[in-house]
């Protein structure tokens, strides 16, 4: 029997396939977005508001985003800066706005996150799913430079020392929080002590590859077989961020306080090692002065030691290795299959970028080949 | 033939960077970001575009050889026409060579995986050679491993 794909994620993939070959992306007219936004907000809060300074937001590789001020003269907070996050026609990673909305709300109060106000999970108001959250202050990377170290990720320079402990503390808090009393109805809860969460994740990414890849790839074929063969059980079900790395949080450059953890759309219930391995991926770290910093922030051993101390959860090297492979597997699929496929079909606002992202995917292919070689040698040694 | 494709790409990049990007309004950040990516892509194309046909031919040759190696293993059935059809020459079109390369790749990978581990080492060796080409082809995207990969001309030339 084929493994389950979580229904909300399967629906997002179904939507992509239904659109494929039938429509191409056309730029949104800001006046149309304003009209849609007004209609949606009226349905949520009635009259007595005004949308001001609506503008497209640059940056990011998936969502189509607009920033605006919501003015409500009779509300406690008269002026709130907000972001409208809309699923593009198709995205390099198909996700679900309702999941994202529920996860942000679930972690509010535990971690610094944007305030999630409203979600439209259908095409009714915007022609596609969308959510509205607060625009949080802070920067994703230092404006005062810091240079480009060897490596691919954001370099934090003088800010690293204060940011690193917060980065680890927030991850530990996420993985130990009690999510069972939260509304996470869009997510399926895996059984503890089973490989449910892994099975669903593999089934999901296998489907994405099968639907999006233009040609076969040996590393994907080998990694897929290895991943199914070596599925670990999940000993403790955590809420997993799914994209916990440098560049996906905001901080105040003056105080070095993390002001918001962003990009929750890949979140799910599963194994903490998924986030840990992802945060340690070589593609996102930086090599500075001969020292390698995971996510540009912390050395690997110090990361594990502090995370273990704060969370009380163990970090198993074997599972860390498994989830390193799984993270590379999905990153390669998104970058090398989905990205160029979307560009070929003219289905995003980021066609040029979608042809560039395979560069990251093939970087991971090279890394993954090295791991697969070690595994083959390990097997050969018995 | 003049102008060459590379000359045209270089001219487009220069016009974009000298005339178009500076004229974009400061507040048009998305348009600026996209224009920057187009300029970077043009530089990347200049680096690689002459080698696309040779790239595909080398890929086809690698998978033809893998398929031939797999055919020697007991119990492996390979569609006869794939191995009896000779590898296409440089006189063929890029589209024809790419088609052959993809068919060989598909068949070889599927056959190797069916062997349940017995051909994994052979498949990984091909994957590593392919990765060298991929790293070289995409080096201008900025996602490079350490040590930095050589140019695609060097990688393909070394195996010619």
């Amino acid at each position: 029997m084929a493994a389950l794909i979580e229904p909300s994620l399967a629906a997002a993939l179904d939507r992509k396939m239904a659109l494929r070959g039938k429509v191409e992306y056309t730029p949104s007219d800001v006046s149309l977005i304003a009209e849609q936004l007004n209609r949606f907000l009226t349905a949520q809060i009635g009259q007595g508001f005004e949308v001001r300074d609506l503008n497209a937001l640059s940056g990011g590789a998936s969502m189509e985003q607009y920033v605006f001020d919501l003015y409500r003269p009779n509300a406690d907070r008269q002026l709130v800066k907000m972001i409208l996050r809309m699923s593009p026609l198709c995205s390099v990673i198909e996700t679900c706005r309702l999941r994202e909305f529920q996860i942000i709300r679930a972690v509010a109060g535990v971690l610094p996150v944007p305030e999630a106000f409203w979600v439209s999970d259908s095409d009714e108001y915007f022609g596609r799913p969308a959510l509205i959250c607060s625009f949080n202050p802070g920067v994703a990377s230092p404006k005062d430079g810091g240079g480009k170290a060897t490596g691919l990720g954001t370099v934090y320079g003088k800010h690293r020392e204060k940011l690193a402990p917060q980065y680890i503390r927030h991850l530990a808090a996420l993985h130990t929080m009690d999510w069972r009393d939260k509304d996470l109805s869009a997510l399926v809860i895996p059984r503890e002590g089973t490989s449910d969460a892994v099975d669903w994740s593999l089934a999901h990414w296998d489907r994405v590859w099968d639907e999006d890849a233009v040609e076969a790839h040996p590393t994907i074929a080998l990694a897929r077989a290895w991943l199914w063969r070596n599925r670990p059980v999940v000993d403790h079900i955590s809420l997993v961020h799914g994209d916990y790395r440098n560049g996906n949080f905001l901080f105040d450059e003056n105080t070095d306080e993390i002001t918001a953890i962003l990009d929750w759309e890949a979140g799910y219930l599963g194994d903490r090692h998924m986030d840990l391995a992802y945060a340690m991926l070589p593609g996102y770290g930086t090599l500075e002065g001969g020292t390698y910093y995971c996510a540009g922030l912390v050395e690997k051993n110090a990361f594990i030691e502090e995370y273990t101390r704060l969370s009380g959860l163990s970090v198993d090297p074997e599972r860390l290795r498994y989830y390193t492979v799984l993270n590379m597997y999905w990153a390669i699929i998104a970058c090398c299959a989905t990205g160029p496929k979307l560009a070929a079909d003219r289905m995003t606002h980021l066609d040029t970028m979608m042809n560039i992202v395979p560069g990251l995917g093939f970087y991971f292919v090279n890394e993954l080949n090295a791991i697969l070689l070690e595994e083959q040698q390990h097997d050969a040694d018995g | 033939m003049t102008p060459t494709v590379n000359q045209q790409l270089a001219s487009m990049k220069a016009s974009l960077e000298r005339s178009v990007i500076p004229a974009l309004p400061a507040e048009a950040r998305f348009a600026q970001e996209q224009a920057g990516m187009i300029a970077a892509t043009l530089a990347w194309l200049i680096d690689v575009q002459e080698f696309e046909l040779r790239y595909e031919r080398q890929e086809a040759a690698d998978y033809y050889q893998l398929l031939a190696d797999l055919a020697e293993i007991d119990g492996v059935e390979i569609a006869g026409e794939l191995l009896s059809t000779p590898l296409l020459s440089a006189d063929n079109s890029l589209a024809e060579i790419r088609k052959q390369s993809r068919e060989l790749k598909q068949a070889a990978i599927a056959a190797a995986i069916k062997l349940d581990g017995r051909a994994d080492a052979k498949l990984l060796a091909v994957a590593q050679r392919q990765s060298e080409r991929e790293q070289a082809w995409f080096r201008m995207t900025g996602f490079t491993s350490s040590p930095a990969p050589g140019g695609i001309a060097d990688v393909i030339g070394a195996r010619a």
Side-chain angles (χ1 to χ4, degrees), chain A residues 171-177 179-180 184 187 190 192 197 234-241 267-273 275 307 311 313:
Chain A
L171 190 61
L174 173 66
H175 291 165
T176 51
M177 69 170 274
W179 47 265
R180 291 180 192 276
L184 293 170
L187 287 67
E192 213 163 78
V234 182
D235 63 342
H236 172 93
I237 306 292
S238 295
L239 192 50
V240 172
H241 181 282
Y268 71 104
L269 292 165
D271 194 317
R272 61 191 177 280
H273 292 83
D275 275 340
Y307 172 87
S311 68
L313 296 167

Side-chain angles (χ1 to χ4, degrees), chain A residues 6-60:
Chain A
E6 288 194 68
S8 55
L9 297 178
L13 297 179
D14 291 344
R15 177 178 174 273
K16 173 180 74 177
M17 295 309 288
L19 293 170
R20 180 167 289 170
K22 297 189 179 70
V23 282
E24 290 187 5
Y25 169 80
T26 50
S28 300
D29 179 344
V30 177
S31 63
L32 174 64
I33 299 289
E35 193 182 302
Q36 293 171 329
L37 188 54
N38 274 293
R39 197 164 68 86
F40 177 68
L41 288 171
T42 301
Q44 308 306 313
I45 57 177
Q47 304 299 316
F49 72 87
E50 188 185 330
V51 171
R52 294 177 174 175
D53 296 330
L54 176 67
N55 284 299
L57 203 60
S58 64

